[in-house]
Amino acid sequence: MTVTDHDPTSFPVSGRNRLRRLHTRGSFDRAAVYAVLDAAMLCHVAYAIDGQPYCTPTLHWREGDRLYWHGSSASRMLRHLAGGTPACLTVSHLDGLVLARSGFNHSANYRSAMCFGTARILDDPDEKAAALRAVVDRLYPDRTASLRTVTAQEIKATMVIGMDIEEASAKVRAAGVGDDEEDYAHPVWAGVIPVKTVLGAAEPCVRLDAGIGFPPDLASFAPG
Amino acid sequence: MTVTDHDPTSFPVSGRNRLRRLHTRGSFDRAAVYAVLDAAMLCHVAYAIDGQPYCTPTLHWREGDRLYWHGSSASRMLRHLAGGTPACLTVSHLDGLVLARSGFNHSANYRSAMCFGTARILDDPDEKAAALRAVVDRLYPDRTASLRTVTAQEIKATMVIGMDIEEASAKVRAAGVGDDEEDYAHPVWAGVIPVKTVLGAAEPCVRLDAGIGFPPDLASFAPG
Ligand SMILES: Cc1cc2nc3c(=O)[nH]c(=O)nc-3n(C[C@H](O)[C@H](O)[C@H](O)COP(=O)(O)OP(=O)(O)OC[C@H]3O[C@@H](n4cnc5c(N)ncnc54)[C@H](O)[C@@H]3O)c2cc1C
Ligand SMILES: Cc1cc2nc3c(=O)[nH]c(=O)nc-3n(C[C@H](O)[C@H](O)[C@H](O)COP(=O)(O)OP(=O)(O)OC[C@H]3O[C@@H](n4cnc5c(N)ncnc54)[C@H](O)[C@@H]3O)c2cc1C
Ligand code: HEM
Ligand code: HEM
């Protein structure tokens, strides 16, 4: 695997992450990869156990070139990854349905990022404690301070995985219908149907004290 | 791997798909797995090439216990899978953010399905032709009939993968906040913020003949 020279704004390129199909939609630019990763909470992690591939959905967060995810200290996925195992973490957004005048030119608008690296357990206690604050606070700014304090037992029950991104790529389609020139006259509806993820109205816990309103810190979680 | 006795309403259970973590959220029921698969267009496929795991986003469709996906005949993923390769196809829906009174009890509402099988190329010409109609018509009922006819060159350029589901599992969380009993009095907002995927208003192709309106067949693609 030949890795190209290092350019700080781009991830290195090797046989793993070089785009072959429709490569003009691709990019190795750090900013492009970060933008796709940070716009989602949900990722899918691929790993293999005894040659059997698994694709597990989980929540991720990022600091610089490091990706994190968490779960039970007894989790099969996490225990397997903890030892230093190759993994691929992918984030995808479906942004639109593209209806063309031929079947072949149907497509989807999307943004996706595939990240390659070696997953490792975070076993330094300070690093782990910081990560367990980050899992909450990166999603809900400053929320940890207002919560019931985490217990030693909870920290023990939890595993955090960190993976330095060795190579990554982003791929994006954000365009209208691309039909063959001779097909534009074909009499069928063609266009793009946008797909969006939106938040609904918050549903307070049935046991919430009536005096506690929705926190201003969570203003970015307003419906829409 | 011990596979349990066959029950037609359930997928067989082995070491691959037996849920260990929070297994009460899991199910091997065919109907439960189908419901998660069919509610999404986008899946993630895990496979390994030379021991390196990849997680590739793609569109899937299902007929009975068979999953399909498609792309270029030159695609690295598809060429690798065509030969009969173990894969895991996962579909996930993020349905809500669960904000608890402790960090530990934060969670997400979700529906997901993980399907295991051996991917194979569809090389029978009739089967392939049927699949290339199905990729369009399962998403957009009866649309193929109104499109410019597919060419032999397009069929040649396209590969369709079929994978019979050998084992599968669904896992679902659809509940309110689950706090520790002694934490309900902790004075912080707690509740669920729903997350939904919605369609936007259709954007006709800029070259669409002004006389062609949005087809009634696509009524289920109205905004919302
Ligand atoms: C919502 C969505 C729907 C899609 N639907 C389809 C479909 O139905 N059919 C289809 O053929 N393709 C689909 N794609 C694109 C698909 O993810 C692959 O890009 C494509 O199948 C080519 O795969 P390949 O392995 O041949 O790519 P190659 O170009 O050979 O892959 C080499 C490397 O390029 C990079 N790369 C490839 N794809 C991506 C990606 N999506 N994001 C980031 N990096 C990438 C990775 O580093 C990968 O290891 C979809 C993508 C998204 C996000
Ligand atoms: C939107 C979303 C967000 C999630 N966020 C997190 C998170 O942040 N942390 C976390 O620990 N987990 C999260 N999960 C759950 C995660 O997918 C796993 O279920 C969990 O991590 C346990 O993994 P495991 O390998 O230890 O499970 P095990 O129970 O050991 O897995 C064994 C088998 O059970 C089945 N199985 C496991 N998980 C699933 C699943 N999700 N869907 C269908 N079948 C399954 C599979 O067949 C798998 O091979 C999330 C799931 C979704 C859909
Ligand atoms: C509603 C139906 C369809 C949808 C939504 C759809 C969607 C897609 C998407 C999203 C891609 C990925 C493009 C990318 O990598 O950026 C793709 C690739 C491809 N599709 Fe389809 N498609 C459909 C029908 C078809 C049909 C009917 C054919 C063939 C007759 C076809 C042939 C191909 C081929 C060959 C590729 C690979 C392109 C490449 O990598 O060069 N598609 N499709
Ligand atoms: C906003 C912050 C958080 C979110 C959104 C979140 C979300 C989740 C989700 C969705 C799961 C999967 C549950 C399932 O499999 O159904 C999970 C598992 C888990 N989380 Fe978190 N979590 C957060 C914070 C934390 C913190 C701070 C801790 C520890 C202090 C923690 C410890 C765990 C553990 C131990 C599991 C595994 C449960 C099991 O498999 O038994 N989480 N989390």
Side-chain angles (χ1 to χ4, degrees):
Chain A
M1 237 180 256
T2 330
V3 173
T4 56
D5 273 342
H6 196 67
D7 159 2
T9 68
S10 266
F11 285 105
V13 181
S14 80
R16 267 200 304 205
N17 68 329
R18 179 175 289 110
L19 289 117
R20 294 168 194 78
R21 303 308 313 160
L22 304 176
H23 59 87
T24 53
R25 296 182 181 166
S27 157
F28 307 105
D29 189 50
R30 284 191 150 76
V33 170
Y34 295 166
V36 174
L37 294 173
D38 297 351
M41 287 167 268
L42 171 62
C43 69
H44 286 76
V45 181
Y47 53 97
I49 306 183
D50 298 332
Q52 169 65 52
Y54 291 90
C55 180
T56 302
T58 196
L59 305 172
H60 68 283
W61 70 103
R62 184 187 66 82
E63 275 169 24
D65 272 353
R66 183 174 280 191
L67 288 163
Y68 295 91
W69 60 103
H70 87 291
S72 166
S73 298
S75 158
R76 182 180 67 179
M77 166 173 67
L78 302 187
R79 285 163 65 110
H80 174 72
L81 293 174
T85 308
C88 173
L89 184 151
T90 297
V91 168
S92 310
H93 307 264
L94 174 63
D95 294 329
L97 304 172
V98 180
L99 286 82
R101 293 156 179 98
S102 65
F104 192 76
N105 286 323
H106 277 64
S107 195
N109 280 338
Y110 64 80
R111 287 162 292 147
S112 55
M114 292 173 64
C115 301
F116 301 94
T118 306
R120 288 180 204 286
I121 188 174
L122 243 64
D123 44 18
D124 177 86
D126 293 340
E127 247 191 333
K128 184 174 172 183
L132 290 179
R133 282 190 303 274
V135 58
V136 177
D137 289 350
R138 291 190 82 85
L139 192 51
Y140 311 115
D142 293 330
R143 186 165 169 87
T144 297
S146 63
L147 298 174
R148 186 267 285 152
T149 314
V150 62
T151 68
Q153 180 49 39
E154 288 174 340
I155 293 177
K156 202 170 156 231
T158 309
M159 193 186 291
V160 182
I161 296 286
M163 184 177 93
D164 290 324
I165 305 176
E166 292 160 10
E167 287 150 34
S169 51
K171 195 172 168 186
V172 175
R173 187 190 195 279
V177 179
D179 264 312
D180 296 350
E181 194 48 46
E182 58 275 25
D183 290 341
Y184 282 98
H186 188 81
V188 64
W189 190 87
V192 176
I193 302 177
V195 178
K196 286 179 294 200
T197 299
V198 298
L199 301 178
E203 297 160 358
C205 173
V206 287
R207 293 178 63 179
L208 188 69
D209 186 302
I212 304 179
F214 195 71
D217 282 355
L218 298 181
S220 62
F221 291 87
Chain B
M1 237 179 257
T2 330
V3 173
T4 56
D5 272 341
H6 195 67
D7 159 3
T9 68
S10 265
F11 285 106
V13 181
S14 79
R16 267 200 304 205
N17 67 329
R18 178 175 290 111
L19 289 117
R20 293 168 194 80
R21 302 308 312 159
L22 304 176
H23 58 88
T24 53
R25 296 183 182 166
S27 157
F28 306 105
D29 188 48
R30 283 190 150 77
V33 170
Y34 295 166
V36 174
L37 294 173
D38 296 351
M41 289 167 268
L42 171 62
C43 69
H44 286 76
V45 181
Y47 53 96
I49 306 182
D50 299 332
Q52 169 65 52
Y54 291 90
C55 180
T56 301
T58 195
L59 305 172
H60 67 281
W61 69 103
R62 183 187 66 82
E63 275 168 25
D65 272 352
R66 183 173 278 191
L67 288 163
Y68 294 91
W69 60 103
H70 86 292
S72 167
S73 298
S75 157
R76 182 180 66 178
M77 166 174 65
L78 302 187
R79 286 164 65 111
H80 174 72
L81 293 174
T85 309
C88 173
L89 184 151
T90 297
V91 168
S92 311
H93 307 263
L94 175 63
D95 294 329
L97 305 171
V98 180
L99 286 81
R101 292 157 179 97
S102 66
F104 192 76
N105 286 323
H106 277 64
S107 194
N109 280 338
Y110 63 81
R111 287 162 293 147
S112 55
M114 292 172 64
C115 302
F116 301 94
T118 306
R120 288 182 204 286
I121 187 174
L122 243 64
D123 44 19
D124 176 86
D126 294 338
E127 246 191 333
K128 184 175 172 181
L132 290 179
R133 282 191 303 276
V135 57
V136 177
D137 290 350
R138 290 190 84 85
L139 192 52
Y140 311 115
D142 292 329
R143 185 166 170 86
T144 297
S146 63
L147 297 174
R148 187 266 286 150
T149 315
V150 63
T151 67
Q153 180 48 40
E154 288 173 342
I155 293 176
K156 200 167 159 236
T158 309
M159 194 186 290
V160 183
I161 296 286
M163 185 176 93
D164 290 323
I165 306 176
E166 293 159 10
E167 287 150 34
S169 51
K171 194 172 169 186
V172 174
R173 187 190 196 280
V177 178
D179 264 312
D180 296 349
E181 194 49 46
E182 58 275 24
D183 290 342
Y184 281 99
H186 188 82
V188 65
W189 190 87
V192 176
I193 302 176
V195 178
K196 286 179 294 200
T197 300
V198 298
L199 300 178
E203 298 161 358
C205 173
V206 287
R207 293 179 63 178
L208 187 70
D209 186 302
I212 304 179
F214 196 70
D217 283 354
L218 298 181
S220 62
F221 291 86

